[in-house]
């Protein structure tokens, strides 16, 4: 519950509301990065502008030593335009 509250508080401040949503259900916390682009097309390297948001969320997750985490990802729009 503390982790959910901390994540929700983080999202409520600044510009994070537009880029992160946090929900809770079935004893799990779900973090979605809405319209966030962390990588350039065809690149495994994180974009520098993604560091602040990922660092903040990572710090909150790291503080919760007893939690288990699972990561999934997808490309919301598989069509690339050049």
């Amino acid at each position: 519950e503390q982790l959910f509250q901390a994540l929700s508080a983080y999202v409520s401040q600044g510009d994070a509301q537009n880029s992160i949503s946090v929900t809770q259900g079935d004893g799990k916390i779900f973090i979605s990065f809405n319209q966030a682009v962390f990588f350039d097309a065809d690149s495994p390297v994180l974009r520098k502008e993604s560091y602040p948001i990922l660092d903040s969320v990572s710090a909150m997750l790291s503080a919760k030593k007893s939690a288990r985490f699972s990561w999934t990802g997808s490309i919301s729009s598989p069509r690339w335009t050049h």
Side-chain angles (χ1 to χ4, degrees):
E1 184 63 30
Q2 289 177 333
L3 179 59
F4 177 74
Q5 295 299 326
L7 289 166
S8 296
Y10 173 75
V11 169
S12 295
Q13 62 187 342
D15 295 330
Q17 289 178 329
N18 296 329
S19 57
I20 304 174
S21 61
V22 179
T23 56
Q24 190 174 27
D26 296 328
K28 299 175 183 169
I29 298 171
F30 301 93
I31 305 169
S32 298
F33 296 97
N34 312 319
Q35 304 298 319
V37 178
F38 297 123
F39 302 92
D40 288 325
D42 297 326
S43 173
V45 180
L46 284 169
R47 296 172 79 179
K48 292 211 186 288
E49 57 267 21
S50 67
Y51 290 4
I53 192 170
L54 293 174
D55 286 344
S56 295
V57 171
S58 175
M60 286 182 260
L61 296 178
S62 295
K64 188 69 173 171
K65 301 292 183 201
S66 63
R68 293 182 309 156
F69 301 102
S70 174
W71 303 93
T72 59
S74 66
I75 299 172
S76 60
S77 178
R79 296 183 307 243
W80 297 101
T81 57
H82 300 287

